[in-house]
Amino acid sequence: MIQKILVANWKMNPQTLSEAKVLVNDIKKISKSSGDTRVVIAPPTIYLGEAQKMLAKSNFSVAAQNVSAEKEGAYTGEISAGMLKDAGMACVIVGHSECRARGESEVEINKKVLAVTALGMTVILCVGERERDDEGYYLEFLKEQIQTGLRGVQVKSIKNIVIAYEPIWAIGKDAKRVVLASELHEMSIFIRKTLLDLYGKAMAYKVPIIYGGSVDAINARDLISNGAVDGFLVGRASLTVKSFSELLLITKSSGSPKSVRI
Ligand code: PGA
C-alpha cells in the first residue's frame, strides 16, 4: 500500500534563520498528529542543518530543494547528494519547474535522480507540462519527462521515487487556475500507466503520485478525494502552520490508498 505524503516546499522563504526556526518549531508541534502520512519539509539549503536538528526526534523529515548532478569537485555553489546524505537528509526534490526554467536539463535531472537514489535517499521527481494543447501533445511531453528522469533507475530503487505532478500553469501566484480533480484523476492514471510500462505492475504501484500547484485548504479535499493522488507538494500554503496543518488534516483523513489501480 502506498503511503500518503505531504511535502512543504518553502522555496526561497523565509528570509532569516530566526523566522525559519519559528516556522520549524510551529510545524514540529503538529508532527505528532501526522498519522500514517509522511510529512517532508524542504527549507532553503542554508536552513537544512538547523531544521534537521530541530526535527530529528519528530516523525517529520527534511528534504533539500535541489542537488548537484555531480559527485564532488570544482562546482562552485553546488551541493552534492553525498553532502545531503551526510547532513541527514532523507529526501531531495529534483526537477522542480522553477529549476528547469533556470536551465536545468533533462540529462542533468536524470543524473541527479541517479545520484540521490544511489545513496538510498528518496527523490521527489517533479514533472508537468507548461500548457495544455488540444491535440494532447502534453501527454507525450509528460511521458518523456518521466522516462528520461527515471532512465537507469533500477527496479530496486523504485521504492525511493515519488512523482510530483506539477503542471506549470497551476503553480505559484501567477497560476492560471488550479487543476480540476477530474483532470488530475486522468493525469494520475496516465502517470501510473507510464510507470507500469517502465517497471511492471508490482513495482509501479509502489510509487506515490502527488500533486503540486496552488494547493490550499479549500481545494485539497476535492483533489485528494477525486484526483487519485497520494498527497501534495505545497508551496505558498506551506509557509504558515495554520494552512499547513489544515492540509495535513485533509491529507491524513482522506482514506487510503488514493491511487487508482489500472
Ligand atoms: P504553490 O507552489 O503551491 O505555491 O503553487 C507549488 C510548487 O511549486 O511546488
Side-chain angles (χ1 to χ4, degrees):
M1 195 165 74
I2 290 178
Q3 188 180 24
K4 285 179 282 179
I5 303 191
L6 181 63
V7 186
N9 177 13
W10 289 5
K11 307 192 179 182
M12 204 165 70
N13 300 293
Q15 294 307 302
T16 64
L17 176 61
S18 51
E19 288 170 283
K21 281 164 90 169
V22 170
L23 189 50
V24 175
N25 207 31
D26 286 348
I27 283 174
K28 193 179 168 183
K29 289 181 194 148
I30 58 166
S31 69
K32 285 198 185 72
S33 59
S34 56
D36 58 358
T37 297
R38 181 177 181 188
V39 179
V40 181
I41 312 293
T45 312
I46 196 160
Y47 307 145
L48 283 178
E50 194 61 34
Q52 173 62 26
K53 254 192 269 164
M54 290 174 74
L55 292 172
K57 290 205 175 86
S58 77
N59 44 2
F60 285 5
S61 51
V62 179
Q65 295 175 13
N66 202 350
V67 63
S68 172
E70 307 300 332
K71 263 197 175 145
E72 61 184 327
Y75 299 98
T76 303
E78 296 287 321
I79 292 177
S80 70
M83 291 170 187
L84 292 174
K85 168 103 181 172
D86 183 57
M89 294 314 123
C91 267
V92 183
I93 297 174
V94 174
H96 192 280
S97 59
E98 288 156 9
C99 302
R100 292 178 191 257
R102 292 196 302 274
E104 189 181 56
S105 71
E106 294 292 345
V107 172
E108 249 182 300
I109 289 166
N110 178 237
K111 277 177 85 172
K112 292 179 182 195
V113 170
L114 295 174
V116 174
T117 51
L119 297 179
M121 291 182 284
T122 298
V123 167
I124 300 165
L125 176 63
C126 301
V127 293
E129 74 281 2
R130 178 161 297 285
E131 55 192 11
R132 291 202 164 186
D133 55 286
D134 294 338
E135 290 74 27
Y137 288 124
Y138 65 93
L139 292 170
E140 203 48 41
F141 176 84
L142 192 70
K143 189 198 229 168
E144 267 178 41
Q145 275 193 334
I146 296 170
Q147 286 171 340
T148 42
L150 296 180
R151 188 170 292 149
V153 173
Q154 304 294 312
V155 170
K156 66 175 171 29
S157 295
I158 202 70
K159 62 180 187 312
N160 291 335
I161 300 288
V162 174
I163 301 286
Y165 172 57
E166 297 212 304
I168 298 171
W169 49 266
I171 293 178
K173 61 178 176 25
D174 299 323
K176 266 193 198 153
R177 61 175 176 87
V178 184
V179 77
L180 301 175
S182 56
E183 291 169 327
L184 185 56
H185 191 269
E186 252 172 45
M187 296 314 285
S188 302
I189 294 174
F190 183 77
I191 292 168
R192 186 69 65 203
K193 170 81 172 77
T194 305
L195 293 169
L196 272 168
D197 292 344
L198 284 173
Y199 291 102
K201 235 181 190 163
M203 298 318 284
Y205 281 117
K206 292 195 191 312
V207 180
I209 299 171
I210 62 176
Y211 168 74
S214 300
V215 174
D216 60 24
I218 296 167
N219 57 37
R221 196 176 298 280
D222 182 33
L223 290 174
I224 200 158
S225 307
N226 304 312
V229 285
D230 304 296
F232 298 115
L233 174 49
V234 186
R236 284 158 296 162
S238 70
L239 291 171
T240 67
V241 73
K242 184 180 178 298
S243 50
F244 193 64
S245 57
E246 285 168 349
L247 288 173
L248 176 56
L249 192 67
I250 292 167
T251 307
K252 78 167 186 180
S253 63
S254 66
S256 63
K258 301 316 298 174
S259 277
V260 272
R261 310 280 308 181
I262 51 172

